[in-house]
Amino acid sequence: MARMRAVDAAVLILEREGATQAFGLPGAAINPFYSAMRDHGGIRHVLARHVEGAAHMAEGYTRARAGNIGICVGTSGPAGTDMITGLYSAWADSTPILCITGQAPVAKLHKEDFQAVDIASIAATVTKAATTVLEPAQVPGTFQQAFHLMRSGRPGPVLIDLPLDVQLAEIEFDIDTYEPLPIHKPAATRAQAEKILDLLVTAERPIIVAGGGIINADASAELVELAELLGVPVIPTLMGWGTIPDDHPLMAGMAGLQTAHRYGNATLLASDFVLGIGNRWANRHTGGLDTYTAGRRFVHVDIEPTQIGRVFAPDYGVVSDAKAALDQLLAAARERSAAGALPSWADWAGACGDRKRTLHRRTDFEDVPIKPQRVYREMNAVFGRDVRYVSTIGLSQIAGGQFLRVYHPRHWINCGQAGPLGWTVPATLGVCVADPDATVVALSGDYDFQFMIEELAVGAQFNLPYIHVLVNNSYLGLIRQAQRAFAMDYHVDLAFDNINSPELGGYGVDHVKVAEGLGCKAIRVHEPELIADAFEEAGKLMAEHRVPVVVEIILERVTNIAMGLELDGIVEFEELAETDGADPRQPVGLD
């Protein structure tokens, strides 16, 4: 067998496992690993400006394509602790990323050595595994197990911490006979599929709730095929948005308290049977459980056994990978269809379609300063069907969920559960690395944009072009809206008179200057009729210069976006568009 440093074996394993894209920052305690990457030459690397940013880049890279696993690399101490938010985000959204940290030598771990921290213990609760490798010969097995864990069951992140002396030690290792460990994914049986259909056929108004597990399983085509075979409407969750195209006749709209469509909530409330596949019954989707569950029976299919019954007890639960379950359901449904044993839900689907044609929020505002609804209308019109959207949290993301249109899986990449501010810029860069030919559009409010704005320089340095739509009201808009319940507007105002940019009129940070200072291009828009032209110009600048292009749109300071505490209690703050499917005030994209 060949004799080599432990880090050289680790890099060979990364290549054999198909994980060849890293994001990170070198440092003294991880330099041996970087030397192994340099010597090997097959691991691509993007130099981030912040280790948290590198972790989010790895998330975006993983989520952009089925089978991807992004790698985040950092040195000891604060690099590892900076990764924790990225690990939490990846863990919460079932995203497999591999975080690799350097560490002080083994003999120094208990001596409070410089930048020596027990990162494995810190990361334990937000990873599938977090390990400090104490013996060099265990490095290959630790990496092998890491990939097995990331891919098996519910996907998720793993952290491997490598002490400096462990990295440098020589071991015997044979990459030619290395084999990845078998991946374990629970699979539904035919009997379970038949049981689900037995329950389904007794319903009068069934729906399918399609969660992010379907996208993780790369099973969106099977989901659409099943919905079409049964004629049952689909309500995607926020993480499952794109499993079925928004303009598909059976796409019944998203339901929820915030990122939801009026017609989606109305259809869920009118249903009597819910088949949830690959979803968590997240609280922003369900709202109050008494309202959500009243008058409905539930079947829950999820890859994680502990998810079944975690939020409420379904009438029937199945532990299964989403694709395996959909394959069994399709086989059983095809047989029943051929035998004429499936009922028709055409009238119910037609009623869902009627709601989809009529229950809309208005988007054609002409106000100056601009109302945010108009921004999303123009985004739909200009960016079209094949755009990839990336966003994280805030009123911008909530309004985006209400008004944007998504037509393909992995074309809405959103940090769903953790929702860290600053996620959008680095995650978008990861998406660009994974799919360099795609039209990628990020969506941020001003506060999210400011959190990790330095990562724009990464896009400029590595020529990662995308369009960043920055809706600026110079407010912590979502928190301001939440503070209405306390009759206050307290420490959420970001506005100030910028002595260097008086033309901003009190909107504070000059994002255009900052973006340009970081090597990017930027455009500012004040009038609604100029939004589309700005997007078109941004596309040209992006193509010409191969850098991120920021389109900052100056919004009115205060806009309250529709939301509530119950599915039947959503508060609408703006005029509705509720006449017919031809109403020009409706969001573009459902004609």
Side-chain angles (χ1 to χ4, degrees), residues 209 274-276 279-283 285-286 292 298-300 311-312:
V209 168
V274 180
L275 168 57
N279 65 307
R280 294 186 299 108
W281 311 117
N283 63 306
H285 166 76
T286 65
Y292 189 83
F298 289 85
V299 171
H300 191 195
V311 178
F312 60 85

Side-chain angles (χ1 to χ4, degrees), residues 173-450:
F173 180 67
D174 182 10
I175 189 62
D176 293 332
T177 57
Y178 176 91
E179 287 295 331
L181 293 174
I183 299 168
H184 170 70
K185 292 184 178 180
T189 65
R190 179 59 178 266
Q192 289 172 323
E194 296 286 0
K195 174 71 172 180
I196 292 172
L197 292 179
D198 286 343
L199 293 168
L200 177 68
V201 298
T202 65
E204 296 180 1
R205 301 177 303 281
I207 59 171
I208 298 171
V209 168
I214 294 173
I215 292 179
N216 285 346
D218 202 25
S220 297
E222 288 83 353
L223 180 278
V224 173
E225 184 180 353
L226 180 66
E228 291 175 343
L229 181 62
L230 298 172
V232 171
V234 176
I235 289 182
T237 67
L238 183 64
M239 298 300 290
W241 199 11
T243 51
I244 184 170
D246 265 2
D247 59 354
H248 191 287
L250 290 172
M251 199 294 198
M254 283 193 291
L257 304 182
Q258 297 177 341
T259 50
H261 305 119
R262 294 183 63 223
Y263 49 91
N265 278 351
T267 286
L268 193 144
L269 290 169
S271 69
D272 65 357
F273 182 92
V274 180
L275 168 57
I277 303 176
N279 65 307
R280 294 186 299 108
W281 311 117
N283 63 306
R284 287 196 301 165
H285 166 76
T286 65
L289 294 178
D290 289 344
T291 300
Y292 189 83
T293 60
R296 279 169 284 284
R297 291 174 297 151
F298 289 85
V299 171
H300 191 195
V301 179
D302 195 82
I303 197 169
E304 172 56 50
T306 62
Q307 289 291 348
I308 307 297
R310 171 174 284 184
V311 178
F312 60 85
D315 295 88
Y316 186 59
V318 175
V319 178
S320 177
D321 169 71
K323 188 178 191 316
L326 286 164
D327 285 342
Q328 290 284 9
L329 285 166
L330 278 167
R334 288 189 194 108
E335 285 192 10
R336 295 193 185 204
S337 177
L342 287 176
S344 171
W345 289 288
D347 290 345
W348 161 240
C352 296
D354 289 341
R355 283 186 283 271
K356 186 176 178 179
R357 283 188 295 275
T358 58
L359 297 180
H360 290 274
R361 299 178 175 106
R362 185 181 170 193
T363 62
D364 67 332
F365 296 101
E366 302 287 347
D367 304 56
V368 178
I370 298 167
K371 279 190 172 291
Q373 295 88 343
R374 177 63 180 268
V375 179
Y376 307 107
R377 178 184 183 88
E378 301 299 334
M379 290 172 71
N380 287 328
V382 173
F383 297 132
R385 295 181 60 87
D386 296 326
V387 63
R388 285 180 178 267
Y389 288 120
V390 186
S391 190
T392 181
I393 191 64
L395 284 187
S396 56
Q397 174 251 14
I398 291 168
Q402 294 179 10
F403 295 108
L404 291 178
R405 297 289 168 249
V406 177
Y407 300 96
H408 308 285
R410 301 182 189 274
H411 280 221
W412 171 260
I413 296 177
N414 181 87
C415 184
Q417 185 178 347
L421 288 165
W423 189 87
T424 307
V425 172
T428 304
L429 294 172
V431 172
C432 292
V433 171
D435 193 355
D437 297 323
T439 298
V440 181
V441 175
L443 171 63
S444 287
D446 44 299
Y447 208 44
D448 170 52
F449 188 70
Q450 290 173 22

Side-chain angles (χ1 to χ4, degrees), residues 35 82 113 278 513 522:
S35 73
D82 284 344
D113 207 44
K513 287 181 180 177

